[in-house]
C-alpha cells in the first residue's frame, strides 16, 4: 500500500503542478486526497469544482468521494489489493476529469 500510494501521489502531484484548480495533492499510503480550489494563490475552496470532477470521474467509470471541511477534497480510497495498472488507470481518469472541468471554466 505504501509503495503504490507513493506512485499514485507522484502522479497526482504532477496533476497539481499542471492544473489551475488543484491546490494540493496529499496523503499516505493509499489514502489520498486532492484539494480543488478557485485560485492556487489564495487556496479558496471550490466545492463546485469538486462535484463536477466527481461527476466527470463517474461518467468515466471511476468512483471517488468528496470530503474535507469545505467539501472540496477528492478522496481516493482504493482497496489494498488494487493492482498498479488499475491504480494508474484511476489516476489518469481523474486527470482527464480535471482537464474537462478546467476546460469548462
Amino acid at each position: 500500500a505504501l509503495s503504490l500510494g507513493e506512485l499514485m501521489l507522484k502522479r497526482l502531484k504532477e496533476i497539481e503542478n499542471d492544473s489551475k484548480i488543484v491546490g494540493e495533492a496529499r496523503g499516505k499510503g493509499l489514502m489520498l486526497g486532492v484539494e480543488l480550489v478557485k485560485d492556487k494563490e489564495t487556496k479558496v475552496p471550490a466545492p463546485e469544482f469538486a462535484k463536477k470532477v466527481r461527476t466527470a470521474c463517474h461518467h468515466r467509470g471511476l468512483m471517488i468521494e468528496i470530503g474535507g471541511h469545505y467539501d472540496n477534497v477528492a478522496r481516493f480510497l482504493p482497496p489494498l489489493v488494487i493492482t498498479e495498472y488499475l491504480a494508474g488507470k484511476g489516476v489518469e481518469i481523474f486527470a482527464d476529469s480535471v482537464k474537462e472541468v478546467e476546460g469548462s471554466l
Side-chain angles (χ1 to χ4, degrees):
L2 183 61
S3 62
L4 187 52
E6 288 172 353
L7 287 173
M8 289 178 69
L9 186 57
K10 180 181 177 189
R11 178 63 183 113
L12 291 171
K13 285 289 191 182
E14 291 170 1
I15 296 166
E16 174 187 328
N17 290 332
D18 294 340
S19 172
K20 60 184 177 183
I21 64 170
V22 173
E24 182 185 22
R26 56 184 177 261
K28 182 130 179 126
L30 288 174
M31 189 174 195
L32 303 166
V34 179
E35 178 185 34
L36 295 157
V37 296
K38 294 179 182 179
D39 181 278
K40 288 181 84 117
E41 295 290 320
T42 63
K43 305 278 183 165
V44 173
E48 65 278 11
F49 296 167
K51 289 176 187 171
K52 288 179 181 181
V53 168
R54 178 181 58 192
T55 299
C57 284
H58 287 184
H59 288 165
R60 291 175 166 84
L62 176 66
M63 300 277 301
I64 61 169
E65 292 184 357
I66 299 298
H69 291 292
Y70 305 103
D71 290 327
N72 70 316
V73 178
R75 294 179 174 173
F76 290 82
L77 302 164
L80 298 178
V81 296
I82 192 169
T83 64
E84 186 175 332
Y85 170 78
L86 287 177
K89 184 76 172 159
V91 172
E92 289 311 311
I93 289 171
F94 179 77
D96 291 343
S97 298
V98 168
K99 287 178 189 171
E100 177 185 318
V101 171
E102 285 181 338
S104 70
L105 301 177

